[in-house]
Amino acid sequence: MSEAKCPVAHGANSNKEKGNVDWWPKNLNLDILHQHDQKTKPFNGTYNYREEVKKLDFKALEADMHQLMKDSQEWWPADWGNYAGLMVRLAWHSAGTYRTADGRGGGGTGDHRFAPLNSWPDNTNLDKARRLLWPIKKKYGNKISWADLMILAGNIGYESTGFKTFGFSYGREDIWHPNKDIYWGPEAEALDTNRHADKNDPSSLESPLAANHMALIYVNPQGFENNPDPLKTAQHIRETFARMAMNDEETVALTAGGHTIGKTHGNGDGSHLEAEPEGAAMKEQGLGWMNNTSRGIGRDTVTSGIEGAWTTEPMTFDNGYFYMLFTYDWELKKSPAGAWQYEPINIKEEDKPVDVEDPSIRYNPIMTDADMAMIKDPAYREISEKFYKDHEYFKDAFARAWFKLTHRDMGPNNRYIGHDLPQEDLIWQDPVPAGSSNYDIDALKSKIQASGLSVQELVATAWDSARTYRGSDLRGGANGARLRLAPQKDWAGNEPERLAKVLGILEPLAAEAGASIADTIVLAGNVGLEMAITAAGSQAKVPFSPGRGDATAEMTDGDSFSQLEPIHDGFRNWQKENYTVSGEEMLLDRAQLMGLTGVEMTVLIGGMRALGVNHGNSHNGVFTDNVGSLTNDFFINLLDMANKWNPSNGHYEIIDRASGNVKWTATSVDLVFGSNSILRSYAEVYAQDDNQEKFVTDFVAAWTKVMNADRFDLNAH
């Protein structure tokens, strides 16, 4: 029905299609530094989820969750009367977006509620799972986050099928709009094929991505680009699972454990499904993929298009997955929805799983191309055989891998909350022993100051130790002093020769004082900073919190730490190579991972340039004649209209307009603070005559934030 519409004055830019900022598509996306501020949150500043969740009656909540698993709803009935399969998939797909390259993704923020994740084809019908959980969320309210609830649902799902999980931690805090910093891929539409430089080489998958196509969690279950080939699929599985921190054994365990329960859904016509949640009609109220043409629920559900269960007893955690794989020969078939799947040849009637609604009906089990990879790839087959022969070993391997999958982005276990916590330190948690706080800090500071180390050596070493921190998955940082261990001590960005010199002086001082090396490195940076503040004629003490510990090589997974290597650091005006991505874009990426705001990034850049801590003693951006003094000279000279800037051999020269003489050199990272209108507005604040002291104060605060970013014993992260 059409109606005449009256025009109305509409001044607000309330439709994304009308965004005039998009006129300049190459402009920096500073939104990634401004996201998740207080304005987006429906709570005032006193609300602290990590404190609220500690008040939760964990056992009562979990009892209610167990009840929910078996409380089948007519609008979306449970397969075999248990929502376990659906809830496990929800947890898996919430956590499974994690990738090691930048630590982004994962289940730690509850962003599965928002676009694009809530509307990915791989997440079809998981909106129903979230809606089924709403009565629980409504009841327990502020004491349970959606992020925690979605992961917990997977754990309870497994427990309802007789499996004992490795444990569970609460403490994931919800966000209230989609993450703006996560790069999901270059494709213009879901399931496009643009992210491999060479489709025959799985390792050519674009970094930092960890899925073969946009809108998939890992790989296409029908085979790479819908072409069944288990050996080829195996190689893609190996690559994608490695990118989310899993080795071969963990990969097989997760595949088998994930497919031991539940089923796929493809018993119908996928063309009958309406739009995904973000594109659905208003009457659907946030639900997507609705079937308003045919029945579309129960046995007639269409999700992936593949149809069938993997095991005889899909609601029992048993050894049925490997039994099926190794007992029968499998042939390619098409599902009712037209998807490629494998079905067994000459299967015993009693081995067939029963219908989800009528136990008198039995169907063939199925395997996907990814499942067949578990016995066709030689390495995977060896592990599968081992698991098949030793069910207890398989259960332990799966429990540990599932725990890792669902907790990888939660940080060390001293952040864990709840009643069912593992008592074991796991190497992927980056354990750090407690450090001493009972030493004479002032005496150690005096010895550091008298050591002969320069401001630049002291500050740069502390910075290099702390800058590895990633707020995405709470890894890295100064605690543990892993800067002195492989692989960090040999990273080019850490200037190994300079680092060895500084550590050679600081380590004996730490031992003599009874302080950790981690504390001493940070304290030394503070000493250097205070020397620079004094040299600038200012007065300010840099806060210091002792208690960092020193990790050992045995506590350190070198392979996983290799992902944290800085190949660029705009704060020290350095790039390992000449990259296609601009230096200023990479600076934003690092600043966002370090948890910095736009203002904090700006003040740190200005201060670091004045201190003269560029990598390799480069002079780019050091716009001052008082190097080593914490002045606001960087901003003053950047904005001085007596100067002009000219490109020269890959960098820029600052030229005195009157004389034509070259005064300084710079990179694009330096100049962006004058060229970008938003960053220039911050730079102008720090260049003002009345803000020298504000500059020092703000720099010290931002510096302290960086040094303490991984002090989970001090900070409520």
Side-chain angles (χ1 to χ4, degrees), residues 28-35 588 598 601 676 678-679 682:
L28 289 176
N29 180 21
L30 289 171
D31 283 354
I32 69 172
L33 304 183
H34 307 326
Q35 61 182 336
L588 288 186
M601 176 183 72
N676 179 279
I678 298 171
L679 295 179
Y682 299 152

Side-chain angles (χ1 to χ4, degrees), residues 1 103 122-123 166 168 178 203 284 301-302 315 348 478 535 555:
M1 182 175 68
D122 218 6
N123 292 331
F166 194 68
F168 178 81
S203 68
E284 303 295 358
T301 304
V302 176
M315 285 298 117
K348 298 175 185 174
M555 298 173 180

Side-chain angles (χ1 to χ4, degrees), residues 15 19 98 101 112 168 181 241 260 280 303 323 354 381 470 582 609 624 643 657 677:
N15 188 309
Y98 174 80
H112 202 272
F168 178 81
D181 55 290
F241 270 67
T260 293
T303 298
Y323 169 79
V354 301
R381 184 179 181 97
R470 307 193 306 196
S582 70
R609 296 295 188 270
T624 180
N643 303 318
R657 290 182 188 271
S677 59

Side-chain angles (χ1 to χ4, degrees), residues 302-609:
V302 176
T303 298
S304 66
I306 297 169
E307 169 59 28
W310 292 270
T311 69
T312 308
E313 301 288 345
M315 285 298 117
T316 302
F317 196 93
D318 55 19
N319 216 16
Y321 178 80
F322 292 116
Y323 169 79
M324 285 293 185
L325 268 179
F326 285 110
T327 300
Y328 293 107
D329 294 321
W330 298 81
E331 61 182 348
L332 267 175
K333 296 270 188 155
K334 282 288 186 79
S335 76
W340 284 117
Q341 60 187 42
Y342 293 84
E343 296 184 25
I345 301 170
N346 297 324
I347 185 173
K348 298 175 185 174
E349 188 69 17
E350 62 267 25
D351 282 348
K352 295 179 180 179
V354 301
D355 180 73
V356 297
E357 297 176 88
D358 184 350
S360 69
I361 305 170
R362 289 183 180 268
Y363 299 104
N364 274 345
I366 58 94
M367 294 288 166
T368 70
D369 210 57
D371 295 309
M372 299 308 298
M374 297 299 111
I375 57 172
K376 297 299 184 181
D377 179 88
Y380 287 161
R381 184 179 181 97
E382 184 178 347
I383 297 165
S384 294
E385 287 175 342
K386 186 177 182 179
F387 285 159
Y388 185 31
K389 292 173 183 174
D390 191 339
H391 187 53
E392 291 304 312
Y393 182 77
F394 163 59
K395 286 195 296 184
D396 181 69
F398 173 68
R400 290 170 178 273
W402 174 258
F403 183 81
K404 181 178 178 179
L405 171 74
T406 52
H407 292 74
R408 188 68 177 89
D409 59 348
M410 287 197 69
N413 60 14
N414 63 1
R415 297 189 67 253
Y416 288 5
I417 297 169
H419 69 104
D420 186 23
L421 306 179
Q423 299 305 302
E424 185 179 338
D425 279 332
L426 305 166
I427 194 167
W428 57 263
Q429 296 171 322
D430 305 334
V432 175
S436 172
S437 301
N438 299 318
Y439 57 91
D440 191 328
I441 294 171
D442 289 334
L444 181 55
K445 285 179 71 174
S446 297
K447 290 180 179 179
I448 293 169
Q449 191 163 355
S451 68
L453 291 169
S454 68
V455 167
Q456 290 75 27
E457 289 169 324
L458 295 169
V459 170
T461 303
W463 179 266
D464 290 354
S465 184
R467 70 175 169 194
T468 53
Y469 176 75
R470 307 193 306 196
S472 53
D473 58 357
L474 311 185
R475 298 191 70 210
N479 200 1
R482 287 186 166 94
L483 185 74
R484 74 198 198 285
L485 304 174
Q488 295 195 35
K489 66 181 180 63
D490 301 314
W491 287 344
N494 290 339
E495 299 176 281
E497 289 186 13
R498 175 194 56 78
L499 176 60
K501 171 194 172 182
V502 174
L503 290 177
I505 294 170
L506 293 182
E507 286 178 345
L509 297 181
E512 185 180 339
S516 67
I517 300 167
D519 263 359
T520 305
I521 290 171
V522 173
L523 187 62
N526 288 9
V527 168
L529 184 51
E530 288 179 353
M531 292 163 60
I533 292 170
T534 302
S538 299
Q539 291 185 334
K541 291 294 182 185
V542 183
F544 177 74
S545 299
R548 296 170 185 80
D550 293 332
T552 64
E554 290 72 30
M555 298 173 180
T556 303
D557 181 0
D559 287 343
S560 77
F561 269 95
S562 67
Q563 299 286 348
L564 274 66
E565 179 182 0
I567 58 173
H568 58 83
D569 183 3
F571 295 98
R572 294 192 64 206
N573 225 350
W574 171 76
Q575 296 178 196
K576 190 174 182 178
E577 297 176 19
N578 187 22
Y579 301 106
T580 55
V581 178
S582 70
E584 53 271 29
E585 289 178 90
M586 292 190 288
L587 170 66
L588 288 186
D589 178 62
R590 178 157 299 283
Q592 195 280 328
L593 285 172
M594 293 172 72
L596 300 172
T597 66
V599 176
E600 290 167 337
M601 176 183 72
T602 302
V603 76
L604 283 168
I605 284 284
M608 296 286 277
R609 296 295 188 270

Side-chain angles (χ1 to χ4, degrees), residues 53-63 140 143 170 419:
V53 75
K54 293 174 185 176
K55 305 172 186 176
L56 181 65
D57 186 335
F58 301 117
K59 292 187 177 180
L61 167 66
E62 291 166 20
Y140 291 94
K143 293 184 179 64
Y170 295 85
H419 69 104

